[in-house]
Amino acid sequence: MTAINRRRALSGTAAIAVGVPVLAACGGGDTTAADPSASSSADSPDSPEGETPSASGGTALASASDVPVGGCFVVASAKVVLTQPTAGDFKAFSAVCTHQGCLVQSSTDGEIPCPCHGSRFSLEDGSPTAGPASSPLSAVEITVDGDSITTA
Ligand code: FES
């Protein structure tokens, strides 16, 4: 059952390129976590009509300034978490926790936290630093052009 949920969660990342870029609020007060049972949007085909093409051809995710150095910023609509482990070094991962599918949270504390059961992931490579999750967040390719971060 875990494998099925995980496969479903990973397949959800395929929709990242066509998701509508609505940015999640950043900050410690935002505890929006997706209920794994409520993530049925992966079951219905999404239309790419709402995407916002950027100059680089990808879909706009966020501004570089949205991503704190030593922290992460969740783009909930795209289910992507952007990180900036060191100044100017941006990385992106699936925001779907590999434990039971909650969305991870924006943070400034040096790791990517999952609010559901306390898993934490590395800003550098998405690997779990604290359980119960034991698998890394999958990497997502992005393009950083000035202050604009888009899907690759
Ligand atoms: S769903 Fe993330 S820790 Fe359980």
Side-chain angles (χ1 to χ4, degrees):
M1 181 162 167
T2 302
I4 292 169
N5 288 340
R6 191 162 158 234
R7 186 174 305 128
R8 221 174 132 192
L10 291 174
S11 71
T13 62
I16 290 168
V18 296
V20 178
V22 176
L23 305 180
C26 184
D30 183 4
T31 57
T32 52
D35 180 344
S37 65
S39 61
S40 61
S41 61
D43 295 337
S44 61
D46 288 335
S47 166
E49 293 171 11
E51 74 180 40
T52 306
S54 70
S56 63
T59 300
L61 291 172
S63 296
S65 57
D66 291 331
V67 186
V69 176
C72 61
F73 178 76
V74 173
V75 184
S77 62
K79 296 184 180 176
V80 169
V81 57
L82 303 168
T83 72
Q84 189 175 186
T86 58
D89 179 25
F90 294 91
K91 299 180 184 301
F93 306 97
S94 166
V96 179
C97 180
T98 57
H99 177 229
Q100 290 185 359
C102 290
L103 283 189
V104 297
Q105 229 172 0
S106 297
S107 169
T108 58
D109 71 359
E111 292 183 309
I112 304 167
C114 178
C116 288
H117 310 102
S119 290
R120 299 179 71 79
F121 300 89
S122 165
L123 297 176
E124 286 281 350
D125 60 9
S127 62
T129 57
S134 59
S135 299
L137 301 173
S138 56
V140 173
E141 287 194 39
I142 56 169
T143 299
V144 181
D145 182 13
D147 193 47
S148 175
I149 301 177
T150 62
T151 55

